[in-house]
Amino acid sequence: MTTIQDVARHAHVGAATVSRVLNGSGYVKEETREKILRAIKELNYTPNEMARNLYHRKSGIVAIIVPEVSHPYFAEFINSAEIALYSHGYQSMICNTWREQNYETHYLELLKQQRVDGIITGVHTLDIEQYQTIDRPIVALDRQLGEKIPCVAVNHEKGGRMAAEALIEAGCKKVLQCTGVRRVSTPSNVRHEIFEQVMKEHGIPCYNYLSKWNGFEYSDYKQAAEEIADKYMDIDGFFATDIMAVSLIHAMESRGRKYAEDFKVVAYDGTFVSSLPYPSLTTVVQPIEKLAVTCVDILMELIQGKVPEKKNIKLDVTFRQGQSTKSF
Amino acid sequence: MTTIQDVARHAHVGAATVSRVLNGSGYVKEETREKILRAIKELNYTPNEMARNLYHRKSGIVAIIVPEVSHPYFAEFINSAEIALYSHGYQSMICNTWREQNYETHYLELLKQQRVDGIITGVHTLDIEQYQTIDRPIVALDRQLGEKIPCVAVNHEKGGRMAAEALIEAGCKKVLQCTGVRRVSTPSNVRHEIFEQVMKEHGIPCYNYLSKWNGFEYSDYKQAAEEIADKYMDIDGFFATDIMAVSLIHAMESRGRKYAEDFKVVAYDGTFVSSLPYPSLTTVVQPIEKLAVTCVDILMELIQGKVPEKKNIKLDVTFRQGQSTKSF
């Protein structure tokens, strides 16, 4: 039987640190936390929660609902959430929704029937009202589901400002930003408002390309990129999420415009995709692993019947300077 | 209550086609199959399986085990498997293993205890013997788990040959291929043997870069790419999986060598990552969605107590010509 001491020894930390990670209490450096979560998995350490789950007739399953599992942002989120859930003795169930309401309803039913103990949801297609009547553990990732349901997001306002300032400093005179479907109430929309506002303050024209599609598939990004590159040949800078940014770089280059020279780029999200282009891509990085761990921590509190201290969590974003915003 | 006719109408196909997709019998065009699976989800159609599961006291859950959920190959596989499983009335449970044996054991336990009805596994760290004693539904993705367990893979021999021939036709004189850890018994190793053999037949020196790491994380790829670019400055062509290929392009370019001009590239897998670079990347494409649907179809047969007709399925690979192998 593996003990908490075995885990501590394996991860080269103290048992108290392991305990802090398991209970989600107190500060632990991200790097250390990750080391501990790996040790837990490598040693197949089962925290007491699993035994407790069996006793309390819980399912021991948490559902993670996202629009598209294979989108790198959600894939990296699920990756980290699964590890964190396992450390709490939970299995992860996943589902794709393509923003379809019926599927969301189906999982809320599973939650009501106690076939899953909690839901982490990165989608929001149902009316907020439908969530207000459910008195079961739900945490929202970057989605506003009303006052009762905790929401974990990043400081998008800061992120949008960082992106705008980087393009301005690079000397851009006409920019474009790719925005999502605005009718969905998500904190991430704020970054676009700020971006536009900062550009306005500097007298720089800013196009908003509103994606018409509803999905997160690569073919959609590719098509949007071709459309933008055809229609907005006059821009000298743009701001978009990782895949969209790299797809648009491709589309612009295929029309003879040189990436990082003729046009500047700031990406948003910081998945591995933002690290692929050469020259390197300036990126506003979301702490995806920390988002996942925070969602799981709060869900665990809810499952244990506790009231989370904060309902609206805003994690910090960081700025990764690349060569894609060097001055003209 | 949604009927099979509603699904057919929504997808603009006949009910018999929907039925073929649901039962996994007979030929249905990939495009049509996808349309039907989407219709099933959009209408929240619940095939009778779900009702049958409840009656037969099945869990209605299938576990998908992969080394790393966020790796694009596995993320795209899981995406498609989840959709296919849902159409059969099953929920998808996922887990990351980082090739750790203990975690694999844990899921085999869940299977023995009937807490999951079946496993689709893309990992293989345990001894094959441990699998031989389990008389429960398991399907292996690209892994050999002995004679009893069905294995779904692609024709890697053809894939390796295609890659070699593309680099030879481009005029490469000294090439490198990135190979995985060879001690794991996977059909995909065949592509490397063929690649090397074809190069030998043409008198072209071929380095084999054997990855020392055990994971599928982006940082590992990045590090390997830097190492290769430092050590093998004399190569004029290489063959690697999508992320590795794009990472190596980045590393070579940062050392002043021009992608598609000074060196040629063939990628393997065909995830969205292979579509990102400009100029376009020549790629051997695995039919990832079809791999997922085939794994699910065979698992369904096993769950229903049937004996699958074939134990070793080899799907075809396709060749996507890009600009990265245009002649010197």
Side-chain angles (χ1 to χ4, degrees):
Chain A
M1 184 72 186
T2 308
T3 66
I4 197 166
Q5 279 78 18
D6 296 332
V7 174
R9 214 169 297 126
H10 196 82
H12 305 291
V13 298
T17 313
V18 178
S19 169
R20 275 209 297 284
V21 168
L22 287 174
N23 297 313
S25 62
Y27 175 75
V28 181
K29 254 202 326 195
E30 270 314 299
E31 200 187 320
T32 310
R33 174 194 289 272
E34 200 180 311
K35 222 161 54 179
I36 290 168
L37 293 181
R38 287 201 175 230
I40 284 168
K41 231 172 186 185
E42 284 171 28
L43 298 176
N44 198 24
Y45 173 65
T46 311
N48 291 334
E49 271 87 342
M50 203 173 268
R52 276 209 292 274
N53 285 345
L54 287 173
Y55 179 76
H56 289 296
R57 296 181 163 278
K58 287 183 178 168
S59 70
I61 298 170
V62 165
I64 306 171
I65 312 180
V66 298
E68 180 104 10
V69 171
S70 60
H71 186 284
Y73 172 82
F74 294 114
E76 292 186 9
F77 177 86
I78 289 170
N79 210 59
S80 297
E82 190 272 341
I83 298 165
L85 284 167
Y86 185 80
S87 81
H88 287 281
Y90 281 84
Q91 318 291 338
S92 302
M93 190 175 267
I94 46 141
C95 78
N96 286 301
T97 63
W98 294 305
R99 304 187 181 227
E100 289 303 328
Q101 300 190 348
N102 292 327
Y103 214 44
E104 212 172 332
T105 309
H106 175 63
Y107 270 84
L108 289 179
E109 274 308 312
L110 289 185
L111 185 63
K112 285 185 201 161
Q113 295 164 16
Q114 311 206 8
R115 287 175 60 190
V116 302
D117 297 335
I119 287 179
I120 297 172
T121 180
V123 298
H124 164 204
T125 50
L126 296 175
D127 291 334
I128 288 175
E129 286 68 38
Q130 289 187 254
Y131 280 93
Q132 306 316 303
T133 57
I134 303 169
D135 197 20
R136 299 267 298 141
I138 302 175
V139 174
L141 166 67
D142 216 3
R143 290 286 178 278
Q144 293 290 1
L145 294 176
E147 278 179 21
K148 282 175 68 182
I149 294 173
C151 169
V152 180
V154 299
N155 187 342
H156 289 292
E157 184 174 335
K158 186 176 170 186
R161 187 176 297 278
M162 281 171 161
E165 285 169 355
L167 290 176
I168 292 167
E169 271 176 43
C172 292
K173 298 292 174 216
K174 192 175 264 185
V175 299
L176 177 141
Q177 65 169 333
C178 299
T179 71
V181 180
R182 294 232 183 159
R183 61 172 176 71
V184 179
S185 173
T186 148
S188 74
N189 284 342
V190 175
R191 70 173 183 265
H192 299 303
E193 291 159 23
I194 295 289
F195 183 88
E196 200 175 354
Q197 185 193 310
V198 174
M199 287 301 168
K200 209 172 198 173
E201 286 164 14
H202 286 75
I204 298 171
C206 173
Y207 296 117
N208 290 310
Y209 178 84
L210 189 73
S211 70
K212 285 176 280 292
W213 78 88
N214 224 5
F216 284 85
E217 281 185 85
Y218 176 66
S219 55
D220 294 324
Y221 288 106
K222 200 175 156 73
Q223 200 187 316
E226 296 295 328
E227 202 179 305
I228 294 170
D230 273 340
K231 200 169 162 189
Y232 302 98
M233 279 297 277
D234 57 335
I235 58 168
D236 58 7
F238 64 81
F239 171 42
T241 53
D242 294 354
I243 298 191
M244 189 65 220
V246 179
S247 302
L248 189 46
I249 291 170
H250 184 119
M252 302 274 275
E253 287 217 290
S254 74
R255 284 160 180 79
R257 302 197 61 197
K258 206 160 159 38
Y259 160 56
E261 302 288 334
D262 303 340
F263 63 94
K264 310 299 174 182
V265 187
V266 177
Y268 201 85
D269 276 357
T271 65
F272 79 92
V273 173
S274 65
S275 298
L276 299 176
Y278 178 83
S280 59
L281 189 51
T282 298
T283 309
V284 177
V285 180
Q286 295 201 50
I288 300 179
E289 187 186 341
K290 202 172 174 188
L291 281 167
V293 171
T294 307
C295 283
V296 169
D297 284 349
I298 294 176
L299 192 72
M300 291 300 119
E301 290 187 56
L302 292 172
I303 289 175
Q304 288 157 22
K306 294 180 196 160
V307 179
E309 257 179 62
K310 284 175 72 178
K311 285 272 164 99
N312 271 294
I313 315 286
K314 264 193 207 177
L315 301 179
D316 209 10
V317 290
T318 50
F319 186 74
R320 196 170 60 209
Q321 178 75 55
Q323 293 294 309
S324 67
T325 48
K326 63 184 173 197
S327 291
F328 278 103
Chain B
M1 187 70 186
T2 308
T3 66
I4 197 165
Q5 279 77 18
D6 296 330
V7 173
R9 213 170 298 127
H10 195 83
H12 304 292
V13 298
T17 313
V18 178
S19 169
R20 275 208 299 283
V21 168
L22 288 175
N23 297 315
S25 62
Y27 174 75
V28 180
K29 255 203 323 196
E30 271 313 299
E31 200 188 319
T32 310
R33 175 194 287 273
E34 200 179 311
K35 224 163 51 180
I36 291 168
L37 293 181
R38 287 202 172 227
I40 284 168
K41 235 175 182 182
E42 284 171 26
L43 298 176
N44 198 25
Y45 172 65
T46 311
N48 291 334
E49 271 88 342
M50 202 175 270
R52 275 208 294 273
N53 286 346
L54 286 174
Y55 179 74
H56 289 297
R57 296 181 163 276
K58 286 184 181 167
S59 69
I61 299 170
V62 166
I64 307 170
I65 312 180
V66 298
E68 179 105 8
V69 171
S70 60
H71 186 285
Y73 172 82
F74 294 114
E76 292 186 8
F77 177 86
I78 289 171
N79 211 58
S80 298
E82 191 271 341
I83 297 165
L85 284 167
Y86 186 80
S87 81
H88 287 280
Y90 280 85
Q91 318 291 337
S92 301
M93 191 176 267
I94 47 142
C95 77
N96 287 300
T97 63
W98 294 305
R99 302 184 184 232
E100 288 304 327
Q101 300 189 350
N102 291 327
Y103 213 46
E104 211 171 330
T105 309
H106 175 64
Y107 270 83
L108 290 178
E109 274 308 312
L110 289 185
L111 185 62
K112 285 184 201 162
Q113 295 164 17
Q114 312 206 6
R115 287 177 59 190
V116 301
D117 297 336
I119 286 179
I120 296 171
T121 180
V123 298
H124 164 204
T125 50
L126 296 174
D127 291 336
I128 287 176
E129 286 67 37
Q130 290 188 253
Y131 280 93
Q132 305 316 303
T133 57
I134 303 169
D135 196 21
R136 300 268 296 141
I138 301 176
V139 174
L141 166 68
D142 215 3
R143 291 286 178 277
Q144 293 289 1
L145 294 177
E147 279 179 20
K148 281 176 67 181
I149 294 173
C151 169
V152 179
V154 300
N155 187 342
H156 289 292
E157 184 174 335
K158 184 175 171 189
R161 187 176 296 279
M162 281 172 163
E165 287 169 354
L167 290 176
I168 292 167
E169 272 176 42
C172 292
K173 298 292 173 217
K174 190 175 266 186
V175 299
L176 177 142
Q177 66 169 333
C178 300
T179 71
V181 181
R182 294 234 184 159
R183 61 172 177 73
V184 179
S185 173
T186 148
S188 73
N189 284 341
V190 175
R191 70 172 183 264
H192 299 302
E193 291 159 22
I194 295 290
F195 183 89
E196 200 176 354
Q197 185 193 309
V198 174
M199 287 300 167
K200 210 172 198 170
E201 286 165 13
H202 286 75
I204 297 171
C206 173
Y207 296 117
N208 290 311
Y209 178 85
L210 190 73
S211 69
K212 286 177 280 293
W213 79 88
N214 224 5
F216 283 87
E217 281 186 85
Y218 175 65
S219 55
D220 294 325
Y221 287 105
K222 199 174 156 73
Q223 200 187 316
E226 296 295 327
E227 202 178 304
I228 293 170
D230 273 339
K231 200 168 162 188
Y232 302 98
M233 279 297 278
D234 57 334
I235 58 169
D236 58 7
F238 63 84
F239 171 43
T241 52
D242 294 354
I243 298 191
M244 188 65 219
V246 179
S247 302
L248 190 45
I249 290 170
H250 183 120
M252 302 274 274
E253 287 217 289
S254 73
R255 283 159 181 80
R257 302 197 62 197
K258 206 160 159 38
Y259 160 56
E261 301 289 335
D262 302 340
F263 62 94
K264 310 298 175 184
V265 186
V266 177
Y268 201 86
D269 276 355
T271 65
F272 77 93
V273 174
S274 66
S275 298
L276 298 176
Y278 179 83
S280 59
L281 189 51
T282 297
T283 308
V284 177
V285 180
Q286 296 202 48
I288 300 179
E289 187 185 339
K290 201 171 175 187
L291 281 168
V293 171
T294 307
C295 283
V296 169
D297 285 348
I298 295 175
L299 192 72
M300 290 301 118
E301 290 186 56
L302 291 174
I303 288 176
Q304 289 157 21
K306 296 179 194 159
V307 180
E309 257 180 61
K310 283 176 73 177
K311 285 271 165 100
N312 271 293
I313 315 287
K314 263 193 207 178
L315 301 179
D316 208 10
V317 290
T318 51
F319 186 73
R320 196 170 60 209
Q321 177 75 55
Q323 293 295 308
S324 68
T325 48
K326 63 183 174 199
S327 292
F328 278 104

